Amino acid sequence: MKYFKFPLYSEPKPINNTELLKVYNECWDWMKKYRGLKNGTKECFTEDKWAEIIDGYDELLTKYPYPFTSNLLNTLLSELKARDLAAYTYEEDNECE
């Protein structure tokens, strides 16, 4: 797995609400692509899938170099790691959809 381009923490730098909403939506779109991955199936976490996840992470941080972006992405990335290790299933996590 490749290393992150950016530090995992940055000093606070405020952004306006319009930009904040764009960042939030694009980060959520990034997460949605991977939230249904399940270990033990065709759609599981693989080294190639993790490389794709990290590439998307890096692209979003390059596009939106704000602490809000890194904090949000780190939270979502932690959830993906937890799903990989604990083998959560899509159905269990998305009962409300």
Side-chain angles (χ1 to χ4, degrees):
M1 224 179 333
K2 85 181 199 184
Y3 294 101
F4 296 106
K5 283 188 197 179
F6 297 91
L8 297 180
Y9 175 76
S10 317
E11 289 302 314
K13 179 168 80 174
I15 58 176
N16 66 51
N17 288 336
T18 303
E19 190 79 350
L20 184 137
L21 188 56
K22 281 177 23 182
V23 169
Y24 181 84
N25 285 330
E26 288 193 39
C27 288
W28 177 240
D29 288 342
W30 169 79
M31 173 67 170
K32 282 194 307 191
K33 289 190 277 186
Y34 309 108
R35 68 183 176 164
L37 294 177
K38 293 188 232 180
N39 289 335
T41 68
K42 284 174 100 175
E43 291 297 320
C44 63
F45 291 92
T46 62
E47 285 298 318
D48 289 341
K49 194 58 76 172
W50 274 112
E52 182 182 316
I53 289 168
I54 300 307
D55 286 344
Y57 177 104
D58 288 343
E59 285 174 28
L60 286 166
L61 277 178
T62 299
K63 186 173 182 180
Y64 302 109
Y66 307 115
F68 176 77
T69 311
S70 71
N71 291 336
L72 182 56
L73 286 172
N74 287 336
T75 300
L76 295 172
L77 184 64
S78 293
E79 178 59 22
L80 290 173
K81 285 195 267 188
R83 289 174 184 223
D84 185 16
L85 297 173
Y88 294 168
T89 65
Y90 181 78
E91 292 81 16
E92 290 171 357
D93 295 336
N94 292 289
E95 293 174 2
C96 64
E97 292 185 30

